[in-house]
Amino acid sequence: MEGIVQNTEFGCGPACVAMLCGISLEEAFDAFEQRDWDVHGATENELSAAFSSFGFILGQASDIPDERGALFNRRENLLLWGPILNRHKAVNWKERSQRAEFRFDTPKVRSFHFNKESVDIAIETFDHWAVWDGSARALRDPYGYQCMFVPVYAHLILQP
């Protein structure tokens, strides 16, 4: 699979369609209604319609398990959704170093749980689409790996 970098601020959806369908970014954009991609991104329903127009089916969403390596053993190509954290925002970690469990309520991360203690913080996040390349067992992030991406659920991409 060829990695494709989005060329607009909110063009991650079309970039993922291009990667998963093996088409150009321009062809992928043509499958969506006209909009300012620097202001508005694609919804799940719009992505489903775009995949369908190229002969693919966007499968049902499933949660990605919290365990390390949950994606690594997947051999299928997946469309991933999750928040992308804004790297320009400073985060106050309250001087704690324990492993945190994320609780997402987009567009903000609302709380972290440290050893059964809860600490409320706010981090600016954006909905983001990325691709799991099952044959290479690699994340293909159209944003270009410039921010932290936390995949929360995955869609299997099927061909009829």
Side-chain angles (χ1 to χ4, degrees):
M1 175 185 303
E2 178 185 348
I4 294 177
V5 176
Q6 65 194 67
N7 60 6
T8 59
E9 190 61 30
F10 293 97
C12 54
C16 290
V17 169
M19 283 187 269
L20 288 161
C21 294
I23 58 173
S24 71
L25 185 56
E26 293 74 26
E27 290 173 293
F29 273 118
D30 288 343
F32 293 88
E33 287 185 21
Q34 198 69 1
R35 75 190 74 195
D36 182 351
W37 288 98
D38 284 319
V39 177
H40 301 288
T43 66
E44 189 172 318
N45 288 338
E46 291 172 320
L47 284 164
S48 181
F51 280 112
S52 181
S53 72
F54 296 109
F56 292 80
I57 297 170
L58 181 64
Q60 187 75 16
S62 61
D63 291 339
I64 297 172
D66 290 338
E67 69 221 30
R68 189 177 299 217
L71 283 175
F72 189 73
N73 293 318
R74 300 289 300 263
R75 301 275 185 200
E76 313 91 345
N77 292 335
L78 304 169
L79 176 67
L80 306 175
W81 176 89
I84 188 169
L85 305 182
N86 186 340
R87 69 188 176 119
H88 302 295
K89 299 286 183 183
V91 177
N92 179 3
W93 289 103
K94 306 267 189 189
E95 299 179 7
R96 294 185 185 259
S97 61
Q98 294 92 338
R99 184 172 177 215
E101 177 183 334
F102 291 100
R103 296 287 184 211
F104 293 102
D105 182 10
T106 58
K108 299 285 184 194
V109 175
R110 295 291 183 199
S111 64
F112 289 86
H113 297 276
F114 299 96
N115 298 334
K116 300 186 182 184
E117 290 182 44
S118 181
V119 178
D120 292 330
I121 64 169
I123 301 173
E124 186 173 0
T125 67
F126 302 93
D127 289 352
H128 185 56
W129 299 100
V131 168
W132 178 255
D133 181 342
S135 62
R137 294 195 302 179
L139 176 70
R140 307 263 184 220
D141 187 345
Y143 200 73
Y145 305 97
Q146 294 299 304
C147 293
M148 185 174 133
F149 171 61
V150 183
V152 175
Y153 68 79
H155 290 274
L156 190 60
I157 305 301
L158 308 167
Q159 283 187 293

